[in-house]
Amino acid sequence: MIDSFLTDDQRMIRDAARDFATEVLAPHAGQWDRDVALPDEVVRQLGKLGLLSMIVPAEWGGTFSDYVGYALAIKEIAVGCASCSTLMAVHNSVGCGPIPFGTEAQKAEYLPKLATGEMIGAFCLTESQAGSEANNLKTPAPLNGTASGCCPVRSSSRPTARARAWRSCSLSPTPSWGRRVCPRSSCPRIHRVSTLGSPSTRWVFVLPILARFHSRTARFLQTTCWARGEGLKIALANLEGGRIGIVAQAVDIARAAFDAARAYSHERMQFGKPIKEHQSVANLLADMQTSLNAARLLVLHAARMRTEGLPCLSEASQAKLFASEMAERVCSQTIQIHGGYGYLEDYPVERHYRDARITQIYEGTNEVQRMVRAATLGRLKAALVSC
């Protein structure tokens, strides 16, 4: 159904990502989850395929075509390995996405390396008191850190100021991928329950003595910080693309679970026939497929709007809200169809369920998505009244 709406280029991108996910990722995803790491060679292969530069313009070594192709690629990678799709989505959207706001020198320095995977992007936004409330950051303009290749960092240019005008965005270049931040300090790797191959770490930024910092403010802003006071705008400008990536991931984590459920329903015999022939299971599979198709259309609609340069914050929020909750539901139903086997690591469905759950939290919690929708509806009501 959806294939008929795609261009030849979009089908080519999707098929290349699908082949890579099927041949390279899926056979080893369970082991990488247990190892809590993705091999460096897999990351290099992502770079060679152009999957790490999908929103980087060609002039900087990127492979940007449109956001539909980007969403399709993430969807296919998510079927093979959710951890790999997390790395790909973060690297592309909030890793590479803010850098075009920087100086020409910064773009020339970072974008070609990010495009090939020589450097891996990350994004620092959340603090203990500032998750969904991104304007409540307290980190003062940072200068240093370790863990990824290149990290756009949102911070406060004035630690005591709360006004949006002082929120800035900086680049923090770092020497290695996947290593701990401050290994001799109390900042260990964060242990999560899902997408384990894509690591998270706490960041500690080392600041110079305050007086010394003030004496070198001009030099610092010239070399590492751009658009002083525009940090919040830069972050929000990348939320649409970031959410589209997470929606695509959620949809096809659920698709991987659904495919497993459908295959198992053909194999599992109960009361003398495959369980797919029992009406309760057949109805469940039908509902799962319907939900998947609905979510897929939502993400492609938001991606097409983004490609055409149309505002799509509301559409991306709707897609993320629906798709992430659909993904958890479908993965839970898949476990139910597998019965006791669904709770065993021998089958991948327990991993799909764990991986799906995070999509309701990162790139904006679902509570925030509902707030966005409510605000949009309020503006729509006001516009109708004024007419």
Side-chain angles (χ1 to χ4, degrees), residues 135-329:
N135 198 41
N136 192 29
L137 295 176
K138 291 182 169 52
T139 299
L143 296 180
N144 197 8
T146 59
S148 68
C150 173
C151 182
V153 182
R154 283 204 55 240
S155 62
S156 173
S157 300
R158 286 186 176 177
T160 59
R162 290 288 301 278
R164 292 187 180 189
W166 286 105
R167 300 299 160 186
S168 301
C169 194
S170 310
L171 272 176
S172 178
T174 56
S176 60
W177 155 248
R179 295 186 180 179
R180 290 184 178 182
V181 179
C182 300
R184 288 180 291 180
S185 74
S186 58
C187 298
R189 180 174 179 158
I190 297 172
H191 296 279
R192 306 193 310 265
V193 299
S194 66
T195 58
L196 300 181
S198 177
S200 292
T201 55
R202 293 182 178 89
W203 282 60
V204 170
F205 295 102
V206 181
L207 295 175
I209 299 173
L210 191 60
R212 182 181 176 189
F213 169 72
H214 285 308
S215 70
R216 299 187 179 182
T217 297
R219 180 181 176 187
F220 167 69
L221 291 175
Q222 181 181 2
T223 57
T224 64
C225 186
W226 67 84
R228 187 179 185 187
E230 299 296 317
L232 186 61
K233 182 192 294 186
I234 292 171
L236 293 178
N238 286 281
L239 282 180
E240 291 177 358
R243 285 174 182 164
I244 287 170
I246 297 307
V247 175
Q249 179 190 45
V251 169
D252 279 60
I253 291 173
R255 186 187 116 201
F258 172 74
D259 289 346
R262 182 168 54 181
Y264 187 76
S265 72
H266 284 72
E267 302 166 1
R268 177 66 168 169
M269 302 291 293
Q270 287 288 280
F271 304 104
K273 58 183 178 181
I275 61 173
K276 70 181 180 66
E277 297 181 14
H278 293 281
Q279 197 64 51
S280 59
V281 174
N283 288 344
L284 195 57
L285 289 169
D287 288 344
M288 292 161 71
Q289 187 177 50
T290 300
S291 296
L292 272 168
N293 283 332
R296 189 174 290 120
L297 289 170
L298 282 171
V299 65
L300 292 178
H301 174 59
R304 186 170 289 112
M305 290 184 68
R306 175 81 172 177
T307 296
E308 294 174 0
L310 300 173
C312 62
L313 184 61
S314 176
E315 287 74 14
S317 292
Q318 290 179 68
K320 183 180 185 300
L321 177 62
F322 181 85
S324 60
E325 294 185 353
M326 175 279 300
E328 183 183 12
R329 183 173 65 253

Side-chain angles (χ1 to χ4, degrees), residues 300-367:
L300 292 178
H301 174 59
R304 186 170 289 112
M305 290 184 68
R306 175 81 172 177
T307 296
E308 294 174 0
L310 300 173
C312 62
L313 184 61
S314 176
E315 287 74 14
S317 292
Q318 290 179 68
K320 183 180 185 300
L321 177 62
F322 181 85
S324 60
E325 294 185 353
M326 175 279 300
E328 183 183 12
R329 183 173 65 253
V330 166
C331 291
S332 177
Q333 291 166 338
T334 296
I335 289 177
Q336 195 70 22
I337 288 174
H338 279 71
Y341 287 125
Y343 239 56
L344 302 181
E345 288 187 357
D346 304 55
Y347 290 78
V349 294
E350 60 85 24
R351 172 166 49 86
H352 296 326
Y353 181 79
R354 289 187 286 109
D355 290 341
R357 186 61 183 85
I358 186 59
T359 62
Q360 295 185 43
I361 297 174
Y362 57 17
E363 287 293 341
T365 65
N366 281 15
E367 290 74 20

Side-chain angles (χ1 to χ4, degrees), residues 119-134:
M119 299 181 79
I120 296 298
F123 189 66
C124 287
L125 176 65
T126 300
E127 296 178 352
S128 59
Q129 81 294 335
S132 297
E133 189 185 5

